[in-house]
Amino acid sequence: MASSRPEHTLIVGAGIIGICCAYYLARRGHRVTVVEAEDLAARASQGNAGSIAPGHEPINKPGRTLQALRWMFSSKSPLYVAPRPDPALARWLWTFRRYCTEAHLHRAMTLLGPLGHRSAELFEALRDEQLACHYRTGGYYAVFRTEAGLRHARADAALLPALGYRPECFDAAAMRDREPALGEVAGGVFYPESSWCDPELFVRNLAAAVVRHGGELHTHRRANRLAMCNERVTGVHTDGGMIAADLVLLATGAQTPELLQPTRLRLPLQPAKGYHRDYAHGPGVPRLHAPCILGESYVFCTPLPNRLRLAGTLEFSGFNLHVRHERLEQLSAAAREYYRDVHLPAPASEWVGQRPCLPDGLPAVGPVRQHPGLAVATGHAMMGLTLGPVTGELVANMVLGEPLRVDVGALDPNRF
Ligand SMILES: Cc1cc2nc3c(=O)[nH]c(=O)nc-3n(C[C@H](O)[C@H](O)[C@H](O)COP(=O)(O)OP(=O)(O)OC[C@H]3O[C@@H](n4cnc5c(N)ncnc54)[C@H](O)[C@@H]3O)c2cc1C
């Protein structure tokens, strides 16, 4: 990661990725400091669906461009692009299109398959830290109301056994047997290797473990700009003064381009907004045994201890947290379509977050070639929780000069 092994790593951002990186470094005795502009898990990591779904494919898939074009300008479809002149987004969409091929999907899955297995192992090992984040194993279902949706899902699932995953296909009756709350559906696919948790609690409790292992954590302290000496990054100027470090790791999610501004790395990152609505368990709120993605609507339903979380939708509308009410409404509408006897009360909470998305659907993890002393770990799109621990382990191995378990060339931040 650096020409000589760094003694002190400064991580900017205390979301899932920053805290996982800090954890695997601190646990191995490395000096690590985390600065976070807001609170722990303030952004995308706070309210996501909580699904740990190894073997999940990237957003780029053959046929996705046409599908996206059909959906794009309707604010009620799963994917929405707010119409406005935005050259960076136009370039992003153009590049995204180039990666919607069989060859790219194969290359991405060859990498994501093993990373997912390793992350699942690491989540199991994290039980030792007693994270109290409602971590549960038991898989998730993808359910479909249409035969066409089910057919596509089965075709996608057929690719997974080669990567060591064992999806199971169910017809409508078998699906309702497993999840009696479901209404009229065509069937579903079960992904047994998946698990779930409360993502905010995961970050908060793992952050406490970072401190237990000797890491330093500063919340409500924004990193305003990188400290640079020629091309080398030597630390970060924060609200509370300059912090020097041998290595600065940007784990700043969708906000990463801000701090990269003065550098020579142009990471084509776009924020993809998503929403959640939580409903307290009670009459009229579907009771689920395991998480479930409502296939055609791309809405994820996750049973958490006191509530059901509905999360999803993908919206490209710039670097802001403006809430579109109709998109929140889509979440509840999907629940009414797929489940029986749904009478939803007022939501217990509503939330918006931004996934950091790169146009090839893969994260960027590693050193920034043009700037010694600088590295990034971002771009996890829909997979930040799923790939959090394995990203943390990879970064720790890179920093400490230990062997990497996978060929990480495809994650190189300099690849664009
Ligand atoms: C609706 C929705 C559902 C999702 N569901 C899932 C799911 O089920 N499973 C899954 O694996 N993934 C899911 N994701 C994706 C996942 O949430 C993200 O990939 C992940 O949270 C990204 O984590 P991060 O740490 O990179 O970014 P963030 O969580 O955004 O963290 C970045 C942190 O950096 C801080 N920061 C930024 N700039 C600065 C600065 N200048 N100085 C100091 N701090 C700064 C921010 O305040 C923030 O806390 C979902 C996302 C959404 C929106």
Side-chain angles (χ1 to χ4, degrees):
M1 176 89 62
S3 42
S4 59
R5 187 175 140 163
E7 297 289 321
H8 177 209
T9 298
L10 172 63
I11 297 176
V12 187
I16 287 163
I17 300 303
I19 290 298
C20 284
C21 296
Y23 173 78
Y24 288 99
L25 282 166
R27 224 188 56 170
R28 295 189 208 171
H30 183 77
R31 182 175 167 212
V32 62
T33 305
V34 182
V35 288
E36 163 57 50
E38 302 175 32
D39 200 353
L40 296 168
R43 293 292 182 117
S45 301
Q46 184 184 53
N48 65 49
S51 159
I52 299 156
H56 198 289
E57 64 218 1
I59 47 177
N60 312 63
K61 278 174 65 176
R64 201 31 73 84
T65 323
L66 263 182
Q67 189 184 33
L69 275 174
R70 276 200 299 271
W71 281 341
M72 231 151 114
F73 300 107
S74 159
S75 67
K76 289 192 174 162
S77 65
L79 168 73
Y80 174 60
V81 181
R84 78 214 141 91
D86 183 343
L89 178 60
R91 269 196 306 277
W92 190 96
L93 290 167
W94 186 251
T95 317
F96 171 83
R97 190 193 124 267
R98 272 192 11 232
Y99 285 102
C100 289
T101 61
E102 288 290 350
H104 180 67
L105 182 64
H106 177 77
R107 180 163 175 253
M109 289 307 288
T110 308
L111 176 73
L112 294 173
L115 287 180
H117 284 301
R118 181 62 188 153
S119 225
E121 278 170 21
L122 292 170
F123 269 106
E124 279 299 302
L126 281 171
R127 282 181 190 269
D128 292 348
E129 296 283 0
Q130 307 199 329
L131 296 183
C133 61
H134 188 69
Y135 171 70
R136 297 282 182 277
T137 53
Y140 81 89
Y141 298 96
V143 290
F144 295 86
R145 296 177 70 227
T146 63
E147 290 298 337
L150 187 58
R151 221 176 20 254
H152 280 125
R154 287 183 169 162
D156 288 347
L159 304 174
L160 289 178
L163 295 166
Y165 295 97
R166 303 176 313 281
E168 295 168 43
C169 297
F170 294 129
D171 62 15
M175 248 342 292
R176 273 196 303 272
D177 239 24
R178 297 211 154 202
E179 286 292 0
L182 283 169
E184 282 304 313
V185 292
V189 180
F190 179 56
Y191 295 91
E193 294 85 4
S194 298
S195 50
W196 73 100
C197 71
D198 179 322
E200 182 179 0
L201 290 182
F202 173 75
V203 176
R204 287 188 175 280
N205 288 307
L206 195 60
V210 169
V211 175
R212 276 201 303 281
H213 289 288
E216 223 180 282
L217 202 61
H218 303 280
T219 54
H220 303 286
R221 191 160 171 185
R222 174 172 298 279
N224 294 318
R225 65 190 164 84
L226 298 172
M228 292 173 74
C229 179
N230 300 323
E231 299 295 286
R232 173 173 283 281
V233 171
T234 55
V236 153
H237 294 281
T238 76
D239 285 344
M242 146 93 174
I243 304 178
D246 306 312
L247 178 69
V248 173
L249 175 77
L250 299 183
T252 33
Q255 293 157 281
T256 305
E258 288 170 26
L259 284 170
L260 284 176
Q261 204 83 67
T263 73
R264 291 202 277 131
L265 179 69
R266 289 285 162 263
L267 204 58
L269 197 114
Q270 280 291 322
K273 224 178 253 178
Y275 297 87
H276 92 209
R277 258 185 179 172
D278 281 358
Y279 290 98
H281 289 312
V285 177
R287 206 59 204 220
L288 311 187
H289 296 104
C292 201
I293 183 161
L294 309 179
E296 288 86 358
S297 64
Y298 291 82
V299 170
F300 215 94
C301 308
T302 311
L304 292 169
N306 322 314
R307 59 204 195 279
L308 177 70
R309 171 162 297 170
L310 309 179
T313 89
L314 199 67
E315 173 184 323
F316 290 93
S317 54
F319 291 85
N320 63 73
L321 290 175
H322 171 74
V323 171
R324 274 171 215 274
H325 190 76
E326 70 271 27
R327 299 196 63 77
L328 277 166
E329 203 40 60
Q330 264 175 269
L331 304 173
S332 321
R336 289 187 200 100
E337 273 173 18
Y338 285 74
Y339 292 106
R340 287 186 295 114
D341 307 325
V342 176
H343 304 285
L344 297 171
S349 74
E350 293 181 333
W351 173 86
V352 59
Q354 293 180 307
R355 309 168 182 91
C357 293
L358 289 162
D360 63 356
L362 293 172
V365 180
V368 176
R369 201 184 307 126
Q370 305 91 328
H371 299 279
L374 181 65
V376 299
T378 188
H380 290 74
M382 319 248 199
M383 300 178 280
L385 177 61
T386 304
L387 299 180
V390 74
T391 302
E393 186 184 60
L394 268 178
V395 165
N397 287 352
M398 286 177 181
V399 171
L400 303 176
E402 287 171 13
L404 307 176
R405 289 161 178 267
V406 286
D407 172 14
V408 288
L411 304 181
D412 186 350
N414 310 282
R415 67 185 182 271
F416 294 102

